[in-house]
Amino acid sequence: MPRMRVFYEDWQMECCGTPFAVGDEVAWRLVPYRRKDRRRNAGHGAEAWVENHGGPDRATVGRVHAVELVHQEYLARHDPLAVDHPEPEPGTLVLRPAGRRLEEVPDGRTLEPVDACPKWFEEDEEPPPRQVPYRVRRTVGAVVTLDATGSVDLPRPTADATPDEPGDRP
């Protein structure tokens, strides 16, 4: 059985993924990383990533051997909670910016061995009051060690499928 490392991004799991655990058999559409992406460590040491929104017509089938959550530290350069705003007049609608810019901390990545991959990923940040920049730690996905056993064809959408609503196309 060939063993491979696969990166499952947080948004791919949260959108359309199904949680899994060590020992589970899975069938995933895998897209290999290009050599230059692997040199930049784009997949956190993985050979391929899970693509739930397209990708190949075949799924790689295998048994999950290990799961490691990928945590990345960031510096937040804007803190909307750190700005003192004057008290508005009663009945006044006030819109305040809520965005922030995250900048990766070099060498701020860690791997945490776990027994199962969650459906929803976490983010921790320093509580207010805080200095800007402040630290944010996000779980950005999971690196899965997969014992690949083969591949299967995936169903293709049929041209004669009935649309759900008028004007919808399969």
Side-chain angles (χ1 to χ4, degrees):
M1 261 187 294
R3 186 166 283 174
M4 64 186 304
R5 290 174 56 84
V6 175
F7 183 52
Y8 208 128
E9 288 182 89
D10 56 343
W11 72 270
Q12 292 271 6
M13 173 57 75
E14 290 176 353
C15 174
C16 304
T18 301
F20 55 88
V22 172
D24 287 354
E25 188 168 334
V26 296
W28 293 331
R29 292 177 196 244
L30 298 181
V31 178
Y33 282 105
R34 296 177 304 195
R35 183 173 290 142
K36 70 177 182 177
D37 293 332
R38 291 179 73 186
R39 279 195 303 265
R40 289 188 343 231
N41 203 20
H44 309 284
E47 302 163 50
W49 80 88
V50 176
E51 177 54 78
N52 290 329
H53 302 91
D57 293 336
R58 297 185 64 76
T60 300
V61 177
R63 189 159 306 279
V64 176
H65 180 78
V67 180
E68 296 171 289
L69 295 181
V70 180
H71 304 288
Q72 177 66 51
E73 284 211 33
Y74 298 89
L75 290 179
R77 297 286 179 187
H78 170 72
D79 185 1
L81 299 177
V83 178
D84 250 348
H85 296 282
E87 191 62 36
E89 292 184 31
T92 303
L93 175 64
V94 177
L95 300 176
R96 295 192 174 118
R100 63 180 180 188
R101 187 182 68 189
L102 297 179
E103 190 177 288
E104 277 191 17
V105 172
D107 298 323
R109 182 194 63 167
T110 57
L111 298 175
E112 174 192 3
V114 294
D115 293 328
C117 181
K119 174 70 174 169
W120 305 104
F121 291 82
E122 296 181 0
E123 179 176 300
D124 297 314
E125 62 181 45
E126 293 177 30
R130 54 191 168 211
Q131 298 279 326
V132 174
Y134 61 96
R135 291 201 175 255
V136 175
R137 181 178 184 247
R138 295 183 67 194
T139 306
V140 296
V143 173
V144 181
T145 303
L146 186 66
D147 293 325
T149 57
S151 63
V152 295
D153 287 325
L154 296 171
R156 294 178 150 260
T158 59
D160 60 340
T162 306
D164 293 335
E165 296 288 331
D168 284 354
R169 296 283 172 216

